[in-house]
Amino acid sequence: MRQNIINARVTFRNSPIHVLEQFTIRDLEDAYEQFKKYSGLDECVIIQTCNRIEIFGKSKKYDIEKIKKTWASLAGLEEEAFRENLELVENNEALHHLLKLTSGLDSMVVGEEQILGQIKNSITSARKAKASGQHLNTLFDKAIRIGTRIRNTSGIGRGGISVGSMAVKLAEENIDELKFKKILVIGTGEVSTLVAKSLQRRGYDFAVTSRTLDRSKAFCETMGGSPVKFEDVLSGFENYDVLFVATTAPYFLVTFDRITKAIKEKKGGMMILDLSNPRTVDEKVATIGGVKLMNLDQIAEMVEKNMNARLNKVKTVENIINEEVSVLEASMKRLDVEPLVKDVFKNIDSLRVKELEKALQMLGEKDEKKIKIIEELTKAVVESIVSTPMNNIRKASEQGDPDIIETASKLFGYKKNELD
Ligand SMILES: NC(=O)c1ccc[n+]([C@@H]2O[C@H](COP(=O)([O-])OP(=O)(O)OC[C@H]3O[C@@H](n4cnc5c(N)ncnc54)[C@H](OP(=O)(O)O)[C@@H]3O)[C@@H](O)[C@H]2O)c1
């Protein structure tokens, strides 16, 4: 492949949640600007979810140090931080990884749906920022289609357990008689919806809060639960025994001081499940007597157990991905040669038109029907001469033969930098 597709990532597989959150890129618009200017990538897509921060890039020659430097400056990190957390793959392996992402195979909850939507959003914002181009747009569009097909045919997403129900299950496993405890959900987004659905299904009463009371009210109308004022919650954590926290707040909502006060004022302990990344609960609260804190890492452990039941489906999906990767790789390699093919067709066609006009002038032909026949003849001659070598060049490119592209460029006077 003349162009390299690369994937640099920090994910929950290698990094616990408190490490992962340090790699978060906060301002995506600015990030795309910086990556375009400094990373040495010609195209770039950033995927950022609670379990992963990933950069997909396209470049003829890339320099991982430049990518790390750009990422480090955006996240406010030392480059050293990447040493134990960064995974880097290219070409075939990068395509393979993207298919694992779109089909849900690399998710903490295998087969979960959210990642597909998150990837669609990522390529949409990369397109908007003009950070992705022909290669990554094609790659992502194809990978999303393949991932959707795999999900539909394999049933990988069926019978799975959501992050929300996993958190509820953890609460059930750790708390005696959860039914009699006061439960609070902080947040009214996607994850809170999953938690609320699970609580509702299992018959628990719960309160819901979000910064605006109207939003909590609307949420409770469809998801169940009782809305409570955000300010009342922040000053009165003692009113609750179990907290599910799922917000995108960029600071701790559940602080050491607030929970210390709550524990002093209430009878009994408290369980806090922080589903957020970055975390919204200060890890220090775990040091307060009577407080049990769990975060996304603990949920990951539970998923591992849940995974065993689904291993058969995973194997099927892996097999499909292995077949799809080679098809995807061939279309990416073909893209490398498309500018040359287009250019050759365009040049030859303009020669054809020029010569046709000359000949028609010499003939003094006025009959539209005859002119049409001569024109079609010139097109057919050009097509039959050019299409075979062009298809052969395409095939050679699909098979990863870079020499033939170089030779064809020289032969047809194609400017080399247009292929870069
Ligand atoms: N989506 C997933 O697949 C997934 C899976 C596991 C974990 N997570 C993590 O879970 C968290 C929530 O994700 P989500 O997908 O549910 O997000 P979301 O749908 O965007 O919802 C975000 C929630 O955060 C609240 N919020 C934002 N800023 C806040 C602030 N300063 N103070 C208080 N509340 C604030 C919003 O409430 P108001 O604006 O109404 O106040 C909203 O309810 C994130 O940290 C995410 O990384 C997501």
Side-chain angles (χ1 to χ4, degrees):
M1 205 186 280
R2 290 174 52 92
Q3 302 289 343
N4 291 295
I5 302 290
I6 67 128
N7 165 247
R9 60 184 188 257
V10 179
T11 77
F12 72 102
R13 300 219 173 266
N14 274 5
S15 317
I17 206 81
H18 68 278
V19 174
L20 182 59
E21 66 192 10
Q22 294 165 12
F23 291 84
T24 306
I25 295 169
R26 303 211 180 262
D27 183 344
L28 268 187
E29 224 171 283
D30 177 48
Y32 276 127
E33 271 314 309
Q34 306 294 322
F35 269 105
K36 274 196 277 186
K37 271 193 201 149
Y38 304 115
S39 72
L41 297 173
D42 318 325
E43 293 184 32
C44 160
V45 177
I46 301 169
I47 299 175
Q48 198 157 245
T49 78
C50 49
N51 292 323
R52 60 187 74 252
I53 299 112
E54 305 208 8
I55 316 289
F56 275 85
K58 193 257 332 183
S59 168
K60 194 172 177 199
K61 239 195 212 151
Y62 68 88
D63 177 352
I64 186 60
E65 293 311 317
K66 278 191 188 170
I67 298 170
K68 280 200 279 191
K69 209 172 181 155
T70 314
W71 189 344
S73 94
L74 287 163
L77 287 170
E78 297 291 321
E79 281 167 60
E80 189 61 12
F82 287 88
R83 205 149 54 107
E84 285 176 1
N85 300 290
L86 187 78
E87 287 177 84
L88 177 74
V89 289
E90 58 176 42
N91 299 330
N92 186 298
E93 285 182 68
L95 306 188
H96 191 270
H97 177 66
L98 185 58
L99 289 187
K100 279 181 83 172
L101 285 180
T102 55
S103 60
L105 215 58
D106 201 58
S107 294
M108 188 187 267
V109 179
V110 169
E112 54 94 5
E113 275 292 329
Q114 277 107 326
I115 186 71
L116 199 56
Q118 285 158 337
I119 291 176
K120 284 180 190 166
N121 291 342
S122 301
I123 185 66
T124 304
S125 45
R127 272 191 165 112
K128 216 166 121 199
K130 297 198 170 25
S132 58
Q134 198 190 22
H135 278 72
L136 291 187
N137 288 341
T138 308
L139 173 64
F140 272 70
D141 289 346
K142 282 182 188 284
I144 288 168
R145 271 201 299 276
I146 295 170
T148 309
R149 199 172 63 236
I150 291 177
R151 283 164 187 273
N152 292 342
T153 52
S154 69
I156 187 80
R158 286 196 282 274
I161 182 163
S162 79
V163 185
S165 25
M166 239 181 285
V168 173
K169 238 176 141 180
L170 271 176
E172 279 177 334
E173 280 175 15
N174 284 278
I175 296 172
D176 293 332
E177 304 205 272
L178 189 57
K179 273 220 151 47
F180 302 109
K181 303 292 178 194
K182 293 206 178 97
I183 302 173
L184 172 70
V185 177
I186 308 182
T188 48
E190 265 188 69
V191 176
S192 301
T193 304
L194 295 173
V195 172
K197 270 187 187 164
S198 175
L199 289 170
Q200 178 88 313
R201 220 175 20 244
R202 290 159 194 253
Y204 296 114
D205 288 333
F206 56 97
V208 177
T209 196
S210 129
R211 283 172 301 179
T212 35
L213 189 62
D214 280 347
R215 201 177 327 228
S216 311
K217 280 184 182 160
F219 180 91
C220 292
E221 271 166 28
T222 46
M223 295 298 145
S226 332
V228 284
K229 271 194 185 158
F230 194 60
E231 305 73 48
D232 294 349
V233 165
L234 292 189
S235 59
F237 279 114
E238 57 277 9
N239 297 318
Y240 303 97
D241 306 309
V242 185
L243 309 181
F244 292 95
V245 191
T247 83
T248 45
Y251 43 79
F252 295 140
L253 289 177
V254 181
T255 59
F256 182 78
D257 290 347
R258 284 175 180 152
I259 299 301
T260 307
K261 168 186 165 280
I263 289 291
K264 267 189 203 146
E265 292 178 16
K266 82 196 287 287
K267 277 195 212 121
M270 202 172 198
M271 178 162 188
I272 307 173
L273 295 107
D274 189 5
L275 303 170
S276 323
N277 178 24
R279 289 165 299 170
T280 335
V281 179
D282 185 350
E283 197 87 357
K284 252 174 39 191
V285 304
T287 60
I288 305 169
V291 174
K292 178 147 184 74
L293 173 65
M294 285 193 152
N295 60 30
L296 273 177
D297 285 341
Q298 274 98 9
I299 299 190
E301 263 175 50
M302 202 168 146
V303 174
E304 282 297 315
K305 287 185 207 153
N306 183 256
M307 270 283 291
N308 291 335
R310 311 178 84 198
L311 277 182
N312 283 341
K313 280 182 186 168
V314 169
K315 200 94 221 107
T316 315
V317 171
E318 263 167 4
N319 291 340
I320 307 176
I321 288 180
N322 288 339
E323 281 167 20
E324 295 281 359
V325 162
S326 38
V327 181
L328 192 56
E329 197 180 13
S331 21
M332 295 314 293
K333 281 177 181 164
R334 199 174 151 139
L335 272 188
D336 292 346
V337 82
E338 275 315 306
L340 180 146
V341 171
K342 251 193 212 154
D343 189 72
V344 170
F345 271 117
K346 202 171 125 210
N347 289 343
I348 292 182
D349 199 59
S350 64
L351 284 177
R352 178 191 66 79
V353 171
K354 213 167 107 193
E355 292 303 321
L356 172 70
E357 279 167 2
K358 238 202 282 174
L360 289 176
Q361 215 168 26
M362 283 161 75
L363 286 171
E365 188 56 69
K366 296 275 179 281
D367 186 336
E368 286 297 323
K369 218 171 158 189
K370 284 184 186 162
I371 291 175
K372 187 90 193 137
I373 292 172
I374 299 170
E375 189 179 6
E376 291 305 321
L377 170 80
T378 61
K379 280 187 185 167
V381 170
V382 166
E383 180 73 25
S384 61
I385 296 173
V386 186
S387 61
T388 307
M390 287 304 111
N391 284 339
N392 287 342
I393 290 171
R394 280 181 172 131
K395 261 188 223 149
S397 181
E398 276 177 22
Q399 284 154 12
D401 179 353
D403 293 344
I404 197 150
I405 302 176
E406 295 298 327
T407 314
S409 301
K410 277 188 202 148
L411 217 58
F412 291 103
Y414 184 75
K415 282 192 206 80
K416 208 165 164 263
N417 60 358
E418 290 174 39
L419 272 179
D420 291 343

